[in-house]
Amino acid sequence: MTDRARTNRNKPQGAATPGVELTPFTAAGLVVALVGFRLLNRARRAIRARRPDSARSAERTRPAATDLREHAWKWAIPVCLLALLAAEGRSLAWIGWRIESPAVALQQVGVGVAVLVGLNVLSAPVWARVGDRGDSLAAGLGAFAALSVPERLFVAVTAGATEEAAFHGYAIERLLALTGSAPLAGGVGFAAFAVGHLGDTWDRHAVARIAQPALVTTLLYLQFRSLPVLIAIHALHDAVALLLADRFASRSGDGDSGTDEEASAAVRWLDGE
């Protein structure tokens, strides 16, 4: 292999260098990144369906949101992506694992979290008049109230790391390299991100609301092109919401009545107040 070929093989590909060959490893990686979570959920449901009735009955009493095993299984997706990356001989930079500097990364994380939270507040009056007025989102978040604080943080970090690695780090980087089109790569990643949340915990009304931060994080990734930064932004954003789960549960009717006054302040943005 010539020095030039070796350099091109190890060079991270971006929007400015379209025309990269689609290898079987990359094709498999895109499938895993874009629909891997849904395929994993279907496979696990099929396995559970074959278990004895007593075991299935016990599992049905535990909501998917509070079953840490369901969240732990999400790590299978980035593990598969890393295995495919290693099989192809690529570095982590090929899926966006890069930062300009620690100081810049911290600044980007701060900006990203501020943008996400700020847009949540600004868009609240609009969402309060659309769909179910945020009731399904509150119910979904309230389900996490059964978890302890460390467990909620585990869920937040897991969501940030696994979802960003799949939908943004791998999917966007590889699609950018293949097509050179940021709108196409971002659009596909965003669509997979939003649709991938539809399931037991989040219904279509909640997913419509989740699509907003999904779009924002997609745009932030295209701007920063740093997977570690987006993982931190995503995890911090989710951690804030999950740490308020008790108050969301109170809003949705699953919490103690004594916390109603506190709940109204914590989730007021859901009603656009």
Side-chain angles (χ1 to χ4, degrees):
M1 181 182 293
T2 66
D3 291 340
R4 181 176 181 181
R6 188 177 295 107
T7 299
N8 288 337
R9 178 175 176 80
N10 292 319
K11 179 182 178 182
Q13 302 296 317
T17 56
V20 174
E21 181 183 358
L22 177 63
T23 67
F25 291 111
T26 300
L30 286 172
V31 172
V32 172
L34 295 173
V35 297
F37 290 110
R38 296 191 68 81
L39 293 177
L40 179 62
N41 287 338
R42 290 185 180 183
R44 286 183 50 74
R45 286 179 183 176
I47 293 173
R48 287 196 298 267
R50 301 180 64 177
R51 292 178 180 174
D53 291 340
S54 58
R56 280 184 287 165
S57 177
E59 287 191 346
R60 280 195 294 267
T61 63
R62 184 190 301 115
T66 62
D67 189 345
L68 292 183
R69 293 174 301 178
E70 296 297 322
H71 298 283
W73 267 104
K74 295 177 70 174
W75 287 95
I77 300 303
V79 168
C80 287
L81 294 176
L82 289 175
L84 290 168
L85 204 67
E88 200 170 6
R90 305 300 188 184
S91 70
L92 290 177
W94 274 63
I95 58 171
W97 194 265
R98 62 179 83 91
I99 60 172
E100 186 174 338
S101 71
V104 171
L106 287 174
Q107 182 181 17
Q108 291 172 336
V109 170
V111 169
V113 173
V115 168
L116 278 173
V117 174
L119 286 177
N120 282 341
V121 174
L122 292 175
S123 64
V126 176
W127 286 112
R129 293 164 176 79
V130 176
D132 66 353
R133 297 174 55 87
D135 289 340
S136 58
L137 180 63
L141 289 170
F144 291 94
L147 299 179
S148 66
V149 169
E151 289 171 336
R152 296 181 207 182
L153 294 178
F154 169 75
V155 171
V157 172
T158 294
T162 61
E163 293 172 9
E164 291 299 327
F167 298 125
H168 293 155
Y170 195 97
I172 288 182
E173 289 290 341
R174 302 302 1 108
L175 289 171
L176 273 172
L178 290 166
T179 69
S181 172
L184 175 61
V188 172
F190 159 69
F193 195 139
V195 174
H197 281 78
L198 188 62
D200 295 334
T201 304
W202 312 110
D203 64 12
R204 60 186 179 86
H205 294 292
V207 169
R209 190 72 177 268
I210 291 171
Q212 176 181 304
L215 177 60
V216 174
T217 53
T218 298
L219 295 175
L220 287 172
Y221 185 84
L222 290 171
Q223 175 65 32
F224 298 148
R225 296 291 296 280
S226 173
L227 180 56
V229 166
L230 263 295
I231 287 175
I233 292 172
H234 189 149
L236 287 171
H237 176 266
D238 284 9
V240 171
L242 294 181
L243 290 175
L244 294 173
D246 299 284
R247 300 179 180 186
F248 283 109
S250 178
R251 169 201 160 103
S252 64
D254 297 328
D256 297 332
S257 59
T259 63
D260 285 346
E261 292 184 3
E262 294 180 354
S264 63
V267 298
R268 188 172 296 161
W269 64 274
L270 281 171
D271 291 324
E273 298 176 3

